[in-house]
Amino acid sequence: MNTRELTCIVCPRGCQLTAVLNDDGSVTVKGNTCKRGEEYAKAELTHPVRTLTTTVRTADGSVLPVRTAQPIPKELVFKAMKAVNALVLDRPVTFGDVVIADILGTGVDLIAAGIWNNVK
Amino acid sequence: MITKELVIIGGGPAGMSAAVAAFDAGVRDLLIIERDVKLGGILRQCIHNGFGLHRFGEELSGPEYAYRYEKMVAEREIPVKLNTMVLDITSDKVITATNSTDGVFQIKAKAVILAMGCRERPRGALAISGTRPAGILTAGTAQKLVNMKGCMPGKNVVILGSGDIGLIMARRMTLEGAKVHAVCELMPYSGGLARNIEQCLHDFDIPLYLSTTVVGIEGKEHLEAVTVAQVDDKRRPIPGTFRRIECDTLLLSVGLIPENELTKQAGLTLSPVTNGAPVDQDRMTDIEGIYSCGNVLHVHDLVDYVPEEAAIAGKSAAAYIKGDYSPAEAIPVKTDGKVRYTVPQKLTTRDEARLFFRVANIFRNVRIFVKDGENEIFSLKKIKVAPGEMESITLKKEVMEKLSGGELYIGMEVGE
Ligand SMILES: Cc1cc2nc3c(=O)[nH]c(=O)nc-3n(C[C@H](O)[C@H](O)[C@H](O)COP(=O)(O)OP(=O)(O)OC[C@H]3O[C@@H](n4cnc5c(N)ncnc54)[C@H](O)[C@@H]3O)c2cc1C
């Protein structure tokens, strides 16, 4: 059995969670006040994930906010940053449009969190 | 002179939400004035996620959250003047503003909503000895540079102050390849949210030093190093704990101050505690028809309650414009110091009233009470309260109707 004290990062409330990884591989969570907290704790003990928010360069030299549509494995965060920073966006996008599909084979898309349409 | 029923100064979440609420309550002759190139306010630079769970049940980034309100403004075709700076307001609600197409112009308004937001405390407000090289900036300025200009202020970073913006920038700079050597916090606790300590510092092994401050700055043209030291319980540096850290960037995240120059020009007196204008439950200031909401009223570290508060101001302004305004005798709301302040600071209603408040320190096992003279009219227990978190209580109509009319007193008993 493996017990961990966690601070939930799902919302500003920041609940203090106790998560127990049972011998059968299941996880028991205490201290959460919502379902998302339970999911967060389970993921922390099995495969931690994070939403990546950053910016991407655009063809006119500005930057545009982007984020992963869902959380991606935590250990891939820096690799994903590299992939985003290698890109120069050259087609117009608006909120929610896919900027990089299936980033690093995670099944998660990187989406625009702003509008860019200054194509020359 | 142009006339308007309602002018809203500032197009951040507060200004947009106030405008939408006023429109929905029937006001059509209204205008939002915003000095920036776009609506959205400070959230345009807050590209991280964690917004909107409370309001929209979805996890959004700052720009996405702001865009929701921008769309509500656009759908209602509420007029907006961008790139326009308000220079002055008088107590009889004459607004002077300027932009490059209209020059300097004046508007006489029936009602005004102040929604100018806040700004960060600059370094000048802090006494650090040493030189004044480049490379020292507020965390919010760094946030704007990195997130909106795509430009990194440095590679080796020390952060003074553990407010949320500092924590968020520790992560952001790390993701973009900088090394954050230390986050130093003068107080024995962090001013930031636990979730941000977790996901912005722990995730990246960035050390947080509590009861620690920056005591020296080195560098001629550009910052070369800072000296940090631990402080005692009177916040004096402890000899023998001095440590030099080489760095090219010092970010300051030492708090926010409401942007109230215009408020003062209108003749309003600011509360020394909130640095905003005192208001009643409608968010009306001491001048009839002038309202204040969002960060200009009191610092909201989180946007969560901002639109709600602004909607109260918008709806109340709409009622005032229609002549539907009959305040009851004002009841002042005082605090005991442990409860630092409340908003509103006075009640001119005998209907249900919600009081927002902040506490002065971290306290555990507390009982919050409200007294009307000797009479206790409300009591609530809480396991923990912290200065960084806005709390609220609601006084029900049954309680409000029975008030004596004297001062209300809100205080806190602290248990073991
Ligand atoms: C640097 C920084 C980072 C923050 N990060 C977060 C965060 O991560 N999460 C969070 O929940 N909250 C954050 N906050 C708090 C955030 O400010 C509030 O949650 C929210 O944005 C307040 O909304 P507002 O409309 O009151 O103010 P603002 O968003 O600041 O909007 C005020 C608007 O008024 C305009 N204005 C000011 N003066 C004039 C004038 N004279 N004439 C015309 N226009 C004027 C400004 O240009 C601005 O657009 C942050 C605050 C700051 C300062």
Side-chain angles (χ1 to χ4, degrees), chain A residues 28-120:
Chain A
T28 322
V29 184
K30 269 188 260 166
N32 59 309
T33 44
C34 77
K35 183 93 185 110
R36 285 170 195 257
E38 183 178 336
E39 284 162 15
Y40 169 74
K42 284 187 173 161
E44 277 306 276
L45 264 66
T46 50
H47 55 101
V49 290
R50 295 290 182 266
T51 298
L52 176 65
T53 59
T54 181
T55 53
V56 65
R57 292 217 168 262
T58 60
D60 69 351
S62 64
V63 287
L64 177 82
V66 289
R67 69 171 169 97
T68 56
Q70 279 91 38
I72 58 170
K74 191 172 153 184
E75 72 273 12
L76 291 180
V77 161
F78 279 102
K79 251 194 178 165
M81 277 299 293
K82 258 201 179 135
V84 178
N85 283 345
L87 186 78
V88 177
L89 189 73
D90 55 4
R91 61 192 158 81
V93 292
T94 182
F95 287 89
D97 284 356
V98 174
V99 173
I100 301 179
D102 184 20
I103 190 163
L104 304 175
T106 53
V108 174
D109 294 335
L110 186 84
I111 59 171
I115 299 171
W116 183 76
N117 50 22
N118 189 25
V119 186
K120 298 261 158 62

Side-chain angles (χ1 to χ4, degrees), chain B residues 10 13-14 34-35 41-42 46 48 51 86 116-117 165 295 301-303:
Chain B
E34 167 58 54
R35 67 180 171 199
I42 206 83
C46 301
H48 52 279
F51 298 86
V86 175
M116 291 91 73
I165 310 165
N295 268 353
D301 291 301
L302 295 172
V303 72

